[in-house]
Amino acid sequence: MSLQRSALASALLLTLCASPLAALASTLAPPRAEQVPGVYHQRIGDLQVTALFDGVVALARRELVGVDPAIVTRALQDRYVPESPKGLQTAVNAFLIREGDHLTLVDAGTAQCFGPGLGQVLANLRAAGVDPADVDDVLLTHAHPDHLCGIVDAHGAIAYPNATVWLSRADADYWLDPASESTAPQGVRFAFALARSAAAPYQAGNLLRTFAPGDALPGHAVALDTHGHTPGHVSFRFDSQGQSLLVWGDVLHYHAVQFAHPDASFEADSDRRAAIHSRTAMLAQATQGRWWVAGAHLPFPGLGHVRSEGKAYAWVPAEYSPL
């Protein structure tokens, strides 16, 4: 009887102990299907730079041209870049620059132009606590859809109602002119209608301005001529308290390859020789000046530095830092 009572007590104790665990397990939330908001802040001098994640696109290895495929394979080996049958995972980033009360957005993401999984800049901007109506200026590095389409919302309406949009004159003359479309390479012709559609409401409201490198720009931005990816591609430099930030747009797409091999071109470059020249010049200047770099297609948050490595370069991502 004593043994029976002991066994019964042990069973009861196990039941009582297990019940709270079972209850806890039953209340656990299911695993999340989404990441945290794609927002990261970095202080650079008096500037607060906010990286805004738009999503990812897949870029195929075969779109890297002017370099032996064996070199590409070796460059990608042990780099662990996520890759699907469609290509290598490539981030799309935009950057908000706050200087005092002035807000400058550099590039605007894809909006609805590239399908599901992208078009997250507006939502992430709000997640960062910024109302799109508070953005003063949108500076575009160029007129490709993953940089320009996001100036309008999902309904094609102005996304930044109090902002002026700035696009280089050379890119505006090319991408917003229907006559250019008929002579463009077949693979990029789809982008002309997208550019005209996104720009139209700003043009109608007299909110689109064009400029050339060297012209005065809002937010103390300095436009650098980095044409080659597009006829009017520019990069923007912001200086504050002895530090510089270079927002270089599409100077580089394949981070695991093109830092080490700057002469590797992207098939979508409109002038590959000019694009290589722009890339090597920006890599050299960013290294020599110890500039901060913000890249549209670098792994999010796309902020960091460039260092020399032999006769080429390497990417040094920013470390997570308190503000």
Side-chain angles (χ1 to χ4, degrees):
M1 286 294 291
S2 177
L3 288 174
Q4 289 176 341
R5 284 197 298 269
S6 178
L8 181 61
S10 297
L12 180 61
L13 181 61
L14 287 171
T15 301
L16 291 173
C17 290
S19 295
L21 294 176
L24 178 62
S26 67
T27 61
L28 285 176
R32 292 183 63 90
E34 297 177 345
Q35 266 289 11
V36 296
V39 174
Y40 179 77
H41 305 290
Q42 180 72 50
R43 282 281 185 187
I44 299 175
D46 283 331
L47 308 175
Q48 180 168 300
V49 182
T50 300
L52 301 165
F53 183 65
D54 191 64
V56 295
V57 294
L59 296 182
R61 295 187 186 206
R62 66 177 180 275
E63 294 182 80
L64 267 169
V65 295
V67 61
D68 189 326
I71 292 176
V72 174
T73 298
R74 286 197 298 272
L76 288 169
Q77 188 174 1
D78 299 330
R79 294 301 299 272
Y80 299 103
V81 179
E83 187 171 14
S84 71
K86 292 182 178 180
L88 297 156
Q89 177 177 294
T90 306
V92 179
N93 308 317
F95 300 91
L96 183 74
I97 317 296
R98 181 191 292 269
E99 184 177 26
D101 293 331
H102 192 274
L103 295 180
T104 302
L105 180 66
V106 181
D107 289 334
T110 62
Q112 307 301 303
C113 289
F114 273 16
L118 288 143
Q120 301 177 41
V121 165
L122 269 178
N124 283 324
L125 185 70
R126 293 187 177 100
V130 177
D131 187 331
D134 292 335
V135 174
D136 297 291
D137 294 280
V138 180
L139 304 182
L140 298 172
T141 58
H142 61 298
H144 277 171
D146 52 327
H147 301 258
L148 171 65
C149 279
I151 62 175
V152 294
D153 63 18
H155 307 290
I158 286 176
Y160 301 97
N162 297 312
T164 300
V165 173
W166 299 80
L167 178 63
S168 74
R169 191 166 300 118
D171 252 29
D173 288 346
Y174 183 70
W175 293 100
L176 303 183
D177 182 358
S180 303
E181 187 173 348
S182 61
T183 59
Q186 188 67 41
V188 298
R189 290 186 186 178
F190 76 98
F192 286 85
L194 295 174
R196 293 194 300 269
S197 178
Y202 289 88
Q203 289 176 307
N206 197 29
L207 295 171
L208 180 69
R209 301 282 188 275
T210 61
F211 66 92
D215 289 354
L217 290 172
H220 302 113
V222 177
L224 306 178
D225 181 359
T226 50
H227 76 280
H229 182 56
T230 66
H233 187 286
V234 295
S235 300
F236 297 103
R237 197 186 73 229
F238 297 83
D239 302 314
S240 178
Q241 292 189 341
Q243 298 188 70
S244 295
L245 167 71
L246 175 68
V247 188
W248 72 14
D250 282 12
V251 161
L252 183 149
H253 291 81
Y254 294 80
H255 67 92
V257 177
Q258 289 178 298
F259 279 105
H261 302 280
D263 55 342
S265 295
F266 182 33
E267 192 172 57
D269 293 338
S270 64
D271 183 334
R272 292 172 188 168
R273 182 172 301 205
I276 291 170
H277 174 77
S278 292
R279 180 162 45 257
T280 54
M282 289 299 98
L283 289 168
Q285 290 181 47
T287 301
Q288 292 162 10
R290 302 182 69 84
W291 294 350
W292 281 91
V293 169
H297 299 302
L298 293 172
F300 184 79
L303 287 163
H305 292 86
V306 179
R307 65 175 173 83
S308 60
E309 189 169 88
K311 295 182 180 180
Y313 301 91
W315 175 239
V316 184
E319 292 204 17
Y320 186 96
S321 299
L323 293 174

